Amino acid sequence: MKRLLICTALIVLCLLIAGGLSYAGGDGGLHLGGYPVLLICAFIAFAIQWLAFIPAYIFQTEHYYDLTGSSTYVLIILLALFLSAGSEKGLDGRAILLTVLVVLWAARLGPFLFRRVKQAGKDGRFDQIKVSIPRFLLTWTLQGLWVFVTLIAALTAITSQHSEPLGVIALLGTLIWLLGFALEVVADAQKSAFNKRPENSGKFINIGLWRWSRHPNYFGEIVLWAGIALIALPVFQAWQWLSLISPVFVFLLLTRVSGVPLLEKRADAKWGGNANYESYKRDTPALMPRPPKRSV
């Protein structure tokens, strides 16, 4: 009963956070039927996760978790773009640019994570969670919050009724996004290639970008969403500035909740005490890349 109450409270908190950000970002933004389009986007983001939860729990599978999340990104931002196109402001270069960048990111990451889970047979993070209805439902609800809050800066700019021409800030944001995207793609490719080699079975990766950072893919993820927020920033007004929580949320999520901490714990359990691993961990930063101190 205690676990049920805690999970219920956290689900309600997720909805309140999304609702509050929807009205803040919707201040001066597009409305539909009297409601901010951002609120509609938030509702859809959660609804998709809850619908996906039903078969996921019945068949006790997490295989489609990441793919559902990435698909939701695409659906939500395309919906925002479509509704914005029919507004008085119409489409502008900023809205199109933000949509293209988000769709490119999601179209690459979603299938990549799906293939990785299918090849591994499971995602170990869900072993104990998926057997519990409240915990598993909370996990899907948190994904809905993750999608919406991560997208909030882009969605706010797309649905804003205020327009500004693309300029130096948008160019800088795009370059930052390209840097982050490249880091994430290269890091993922290097790790996939490393794990495919039979001789690397049971070993930790310490080559390529992974010599510079223990989690270069997560660093790239944080950087690219900072670029998205920077592109969106010039049209923010009044309460819309709260939408800058997007890259902060991504940073906190990956460094304090579900990203780095979980993987570090699993790595310590697997290789802790191994001299090479301890040396690698001591000399290589957890997140922000830097040239390696010495060979590992």
Side-chain angles (χ1 to χ4, degrees):
M1 179 60 72
K2 182 179 179 181
R3 178 175 292 174
L4 176 60
L5 291 175
I6 292 174
C7 289
T8 301
L10 289 174
I11 289 173
V12 171
L13 179 60
C14 288
L15 297 177
L16 290 175
I17 292 173
L21 289 174
S22 297
Y23 278 98
D27 182 27
L30 180 64
H31 282 59
L32 185 66
Y35 296 99
V37 167
L38 287 185
L39 184 63
I40 297 172
C41 289
F43 172 79
I44 294 175
F46 285 114
I48 292 173
Q49 311 315 307
W50 292 334
L51 288 173
F53 157 78
I54 297 173
Y57 178 75
I58 292 174
F59 296 104
Q60 286 292 284
T61 179
E62 70 281 6
H63 287 186
Y64 300 93
Y65 182 80
D66 292 315
L67 190 59
T68 301
S70 61
S71 299
T72 306
Y73 274 98
V74 174
L75 290 172
I76 294 303
I77 202 160
L78 289 178
L79 173 64
L81 186 71
F82 173 77
L83 294 176
S84 178
S87 68
E88 292 184 8
K89 185 188 76 170
L91 289 181
D92 61 9
R94 192 179 313 276
I96 295 173
L97 175 61
L98 288 167
T99 301
V100 168
L101 296 182
V102 170
V103 169
L104 283 174
W105 167 81
R108 199 284 308 185
L109 185 61
F112 169 78
L113 295 176
F114 176 70
R115 288 193 301 270
R116 189 175 68 181
V117 171
K118 292 291 284 186
Q119 290 169 359
K122 67 173 184 175
D123 186 333
R125 297 175 300 171
F126 293 87
D127 286 348
Q128 297 180 358
I129 295 175
K130 63 186 178 183
V131 298
S132 167
I133 290 179
R135 292 182 67 189
F136 203 28
L137 178 60
L138 173 60
T139 302
W140 285 90
T141 303
L142 286 171
Q143 178 158 262
L145 183 68
W146 166 60
V147 170
F148 180 70
V149 179
T150 303
L151 269 181
I152 188 69
L155 292 175
T156 297
I158 291 171
T159 61
S160 174
Q161 294 304 285
H162 177 63
S163 181
E164 291 285 342
L166 293 174
V168 175
I169 293 180
L171 175 61
L172 179 60
T174 303
L175 292 175
I176 291 173
W177 183 91
L178 287 170
L179 172 63
F181 186 71
L183 286 171
E184 186 174 66
V185 171
V186 171
D188 284 341
Q190 289 177 341
K191 190 170 186 179
S192 294
F194 180 88
N195 289 334
K196 285 180 180 179
R197 299 190 184 104
E199 63 270 24
N200 292 330
S201 178
K203 296 181 180 180
F204 63 91
I205 182 171
N206 58 358
I207 61 173
L209 289 175
W210 300 83
R211 288 192 65 197
W212 292 55
S213 167
R214 301 203 300 275
H215 303 281
N217 52 339
Y218 287 155
F219 180 74
E221 178 89 352
I222 293 167
V223 169
L224 71 86
W225 285 109
I228 290 289
L230 190 58
I231 296 170
L233 183 148
V235 298
F236 290 170
Q237 295 180 326
W239 287 102
Q240 292 179 341
W241 286 96
L242 288 178
S243 297
L244 288 178
I245 193 176
S246 168
V248 177
F249 174 79
V250 173
F251 173 80
L252 293 176
L253 182 68
L254 293 180
T255 62
R256 299 291 185 268
V257 184
S258 68
V260 173
L262 287 179
L263 291 184
E264 288 286 297
K265 184 177 180 180
R266 289 166 63 181
D268 287 344
K270 191 171 185 178
W271 297 296
N274 179 297
N276 290 332
Y277 172 72
E278 296 297 343
S279 176
Y280 170 70
K281 188 174 180 180
R282 182 179 60 251
D283 298 332
T284 308
L287 188 67
M288 184 173 292
R290 72 163 182 240
K293 291 183 178 179
R294 60 187 181 185
S295 299
V296 292

